Amino acid sequence: MRGRSVSPVFVGREEEVATLAECFEEARKGAMTAVLLGGEAGVGKTRLVQRFAEQCTALGAHVLFGGCIELSTEGLAYAPFTATLRQLVRELGPAAVTKLLPDGAERDLARLLPEFGEPSGDGETDTGRARLFEQFLTLLERLSECRPTVLVIEDIHWADRSSRDLIAFLSRNLYIPRALIVMTYRSDDLHRQHPLRPVLAELGRVQGVHRLDLPRLSRDEVGQQMTAILGSTPEYAKVQKVYERSEGIPLFVEAMLESGDECTFPDSMNDLILGSVERLPEETQRVLRVAAAGGIRVGHALLAAVSGLSDVELETALRPAIAGNVLQIADSRAYVFRHALIREAVHDELLPGEHQRLHRRFAEEISKDRGLVPPGRAAVELAHHWFGARDDRWALISAWDAALESFKSFAYTEAIPLLERVLMLWDRVDDAAGLIGADHTAVLERAAEAGGAGGDVDKGAKFVKAALAELDETREPERVAQLIVRRTPFIDSKGKPGVIEDLRHALRLVSGSSRDRAEVLTPLSRHLMLRGEIDEANELIDEGLRLARKYGDACLEADLLLNMGLGHSLRGDMESTIRVNEQALRIGREADSGRVILRAIGNSIDALLDMGRHDEALRMSEDGWRIAKKYGRLRASGLFIKNNWAESLEALGRWDEAVEIVEGALSHGPVLRTRHSLLRVRADIALARGELTLVESILSEIGVFKGRREEYIQDVISNARMRIGWFLSRGERGAALEEAERVLAHPRQSSKAVLSWRLLSLLRTVCDAAQEIEPQRTAALREHAAGVATELSVIGPVVEAYRLSYSGDFDAAAAAWERLQRPHNAAMALHRAAAAAAHGGDREGAAARLKKALPLAQALRATPLTERIETLLRRVGGGPAAPEQSELLTPREREVLRLVAQGRTNRDIAAELFISAKTVSVHVSNILAKLGVTTRGEAAAAGHRLSLLSR
């Protein structure tokens, strides 16, 4: 068996690490004496203090370690302090330690460690004890005079009485600079009578003592931990499974991964899980087994009904479990197991007959009174318990009912396993179709619908395939056509060809005036638009709108309007795009269609960004993500919106936030097409920052180097742009020129103004770079590009900025990009303008432009551009560029600094600015570095001094 799977990467905890670092700085000033770090077993307290210790050591501190052991309460006095002394003797030797103490003081320490000679004769009297405390305090004071000293004491929940008293003494009296005590304890072990509780309460009132609670990891952080352990990114479903079962406790994550692909909980961890249960009275354990059959949370009335106990008897039985922190009291008179794995372990102890009997009892009681469970939960609870009772008939009926309820609450992900259960039980139950009022194919159709709405492409495709296999298109052509439409997004999301051919076949199956025809026209017109076949798409949209309005199908009408808006966007008419999208959005809201609402929002974000209305685009992105959660469409529509959100942030130069959005979206397992779109955003940032290894990895995954055939013209142009950027970054001007020629010769050029003007702007860069080596080819390419440009519209500020860059008016382009708040584009235009000025002999003008561009590039950490600017600046004799105070921090960093100055925590700031605590931590680190300070307080003072908070 392999050893424990420990993550080689320290995951999360940015805010806690920052807090400990601040405590260390405060301790160096004498303002902080101790930190109490609490958290449940396995949550990562040891890993956190180890990281903190490494940082302190790197700063020159002397870090001492002492740990309590479980036997301490049985008489192993001063265990952590004995360990600390042993470390000191090992590092310095007994003589050196003795020199730090008053004469004769070593005899007091000899009671803890024999290396100090004969102990003093007064033993554990009050006088001797007081003297020992004073000697240890003196020792820490003398050590801190030499260099900063940190004493780490782990697991103080196991500390003996003497150690607890010494901990309290030191925390109250260690008022000297450069000394800090960090203590960890298990918060879940502190029952009401635990001897540490009064100590913690007392220390909480002591000035200079800071309490810090370590929370569980988030789902994304669990994904990062798993990636670090496995060496590759795990599938979304696996991350979700491990997160749900571990509930974010790192130790449990490691244990599950150790068990292999099944991610089961190993027997080796059972002692940790069941130890607290097995110490409880037998009657309490019996009631816990009943509660475990009820789930992670069970109401008092329901538990009383199933167990057959009176209220008083039930409360008496459960009181030891609550005192032992096995159960916790929730709202609405309910009991919750402290951790799902405790419930699982107790449930696994049930005998087979006991298991079925208890689940049947729960199902019977809930059937009699649905008010025994929280509102909206009865159907799901009944499905769970009838299945656990092994009653196939009622398990099938209740699973179907629960699936239908899940659809009503947009819980599509939860509906899929319920429908799979119906399919599994189908052949075991007589007249299954009669019992639920639907045939087998209808169940498959519902399951496919849930897969599409919930973003589970593989399962959705599997259900459609199975449903089509049961149908004959000559007998039920409309039903087959509907399933082909249902299959379309599954094929498309995997980037496979043939979608339009499939839809044309579906169109031939439906009559010319039916609602079914409108349902086929909608996706067909959309895909024709994306391929650049705008005229044919518009004809189909007009036909579809007539049918949708004839049958009063508002959602179909909205979808067709959004297709029309896509056409306006491709023709460069962004105002019409936004107007039509808003009309579709109103329809979606009136119909309460999450799918339509989110599609309209996603399309509108793109249009607003192209119009330079970035504030509205960002607000709509945040709203869209929230709405996607509400409608249970996180992995489908939600991740599409996340991609648009990341594109907005990338354009505005908020690259760290964009990277975080991309990584968070990728961790949710997006469909292939959305994944590729997200990766393109990440590649754009990596290319601008010179992270070529990452760029190569991304472009290889997308298939950019393979010349894979793309269905959508937008993907054709985006991939070509990626390849050109890659070649230019490597100095391969000839290869970049060849790619530029290839994309410009593509038979289906995009008429979307922003997309095409951006490409032409890049082609101008390619021609300028390759002019010397291929003058004739670059001249031909310029002529071809000029012909394409005459066919393009120029509507909106973003298009105009790209047009100015293409035309070579770089000063005007830089001004346009500055107005649009796009720093990378502005810096690039300024660099091009400076190069033109230098070529014309205006060295002073070139230097002025470069000095304006340099801080923009540096703030973005756009290394290649920074280096080009600095090189040209040296050539024109401009010397080093000193940023203005107003340019010292980015606008986002000034926002963060303002909130830091108000004393807000990273989590507070994250909530205020709608970003994550991790991103705030990055901003704070950048602020400290730019201001040349080490603490948040110093940063706030510097902000006031430099007038950065009033801007």
Side-chain angles (χ1 to χ4, degrees), residues 725-791:
W726 168 256
F727 290 136
L728 289 177
S729 71
R730 291 161 57 90
E732 299 177 16
R733 293 176 292 173
L737 180 61
E738 183 178 345
E739 181 60 35
E741 292 168 335
R742 182 184 299 112
V743 69
L744 209 57
H746 196 279
R748 287 188 290 116
Q749 277 297 319
S750 173
S751 59
K752 185 174 182 181
V754 172
L755 198 65
S756 295
W757 281 115
R758 182 178 185 182
L759 176 65
L760 291 179
S761 174
L762 179 59
L763 296 190
R764 164 85 190 226
T765 303
V766 173
C767 289
D768 291 348
Q771 178 70 39
E772 294 181 7
I773 61 172
E774 292 285 357
Q776 292 182 337
R777 288 172 63 191
T778 54
L781 184 62
R782 289 182 198 273
E783 183 178 354
H784 192 170
V788 172
T790 60
E791 302 295 322

Side-chain angles (χ1 to χ4, degrees), residues 829-902:
L830 286 167
H831 175 257
R832 296 295 300 278
H839 185 73
D842 183 8
R843 294 160 61 96
E844 185 176 336
R849 293 174 175 89
L850 293 169
K851 288 181 178 180
K852 187 175 181 180
L854 185 58
L856 297 176
Q858 289 173 328
L860 294 167
R861 303 199 301 281
T863 304
L865 179 58
T866 299
E867 291 174 350
R868 293 199 299 272
I869 293 170
E870 290 174 336
T871 299
L872 185 55
L873 193 57
R874 287 192 295 270
R875 287 175 56 196
V876 300
E884 297 290 330
Q885 285 185 1
S886 61
E887 298 173 343
L888 188 60
L889 302 180
T890 66
R892 186 56 125 186
E893 287 168 348
R894 289 200 296 273
E895 286 183 85
V896 172
L897 178 59
R898 176 178 58 81
L899 296 170
V900 166
Q902 295 175 8

Side-chain angles (χ1 to χ4, degrees), residues 461-680:
K462 179 186 73 174
F463 294 134
V464 169
K465 182 179 179 180
L468 283 170
E470 295 182 0
L471 296 177
D472 181 347
E473 70 175 39
T474 61
R475 295 181 178 180
E476 297 181 274
E478 294 83 4
R479 202 171 182 185
V480 170
Q482 289 173 352
L483 281 167
I484 291 173
V485 169
R486 178 84 64 201
R487 185 174 62 185
T488 297
F490 301 138
I491 296 174
D492 179 54
S493 64
K494 288 179 173 289
K496 294 182 178 180
V499 168
I500 288 179
E501 291 73 15
D502 267 5
L503 289 171
R504 290 194 191 280
H505 175 64
L507 195 62
R508 290 191 291 270
L509 294 175
V510 292
S511 65
S513 60
S514 65
R515 184 198 301 264
D516 294 321
R517 184 174 179 83
E519 290 178 349
V520 178
L521 288 169
T522 302
L524 179 55
S525 60
R526 175 176 175 270
H527 284 278
L528 286 170
M529 281 289 187
L530 292 171
R531 282 184 58 173
E533 308 290 345
I534 300 176
D535 292 336
E536 182 184 357
N538 278 328
E539 290 179 8
L540 298 182
I541 289 170
D542 289 341
E543 180 186 354
L545 283 172
R546 285 195 301 272
L547 293 173
R549 288 163 180 165
K550 172 184 176 181
Y551 290 104
D553 194 322
C555 290
L556 267 181
E557 179 183 356
D559 272 322
L560 289 158
L561 288 172
L562 288 169
N563 293 350
M564 183 186 294
L566 180 58
H568 290 315
S569 174
L570 291 172
R571 294 201 186 280
D573 186 358
M574 305 312 298
E575 293 291 352
S576 294
T577 299
I578 292 172
R579 175 177 51 78
V580 171
N581 287 351
E582 288 176 346
Q583 184 181 351
L585 182 59
R586 285 195 298 272
I587 294 173
R589 285 173 173 159
E590 289 170 3
D592 195 27
S593 170
R595 181 186 57 76
V596 171
I597 292 170
L598 290 164
R599 186 182 171 209
I601 287 174
N603 289 5
S604 296
I605 293 167
D606 187 55
L608 290 169
L609 187 64
D610 288 348
M611 290 294 291
R613 293 158 61 177
H614 51 80
D615 287 338
E616 294 173 70
L618 289 176
R619 283 196 298 272
M620 188 166 279
S621 298
E622 293 165 5
D623 289 343
W625 180 244
R626 176 179 50 78
I627 292 169
K629 291 181 180 178
K630 171 187 173 183
Y631 283 100
R633 293 179 172 269
L634 200 75
R635 292 184 63 202
S637 308
L639 296 183
F640 174 74
I641 287 173
K642 276 262 183 173
N643 177 70
N644 287 352
W645 191 352
E647 288 178 347
S648 304
L649 292 168
E650 184 274 329
L652 295 172
R654 290 162 59 174
W655 290 353
D656 291 328
E657 293 174 63
V659 168
E660 184 182 356
I661 291 287
V662 168
E663 291 177 349
L666 290 173
S667 72
H668 282 85
V671 298
L672 189 63
R673 185 170 295 283
T674 304
R675 178 177 177 81
H676 284 180
S677 297
L678 289 161
L679 288 173
R680 287 189 187 99

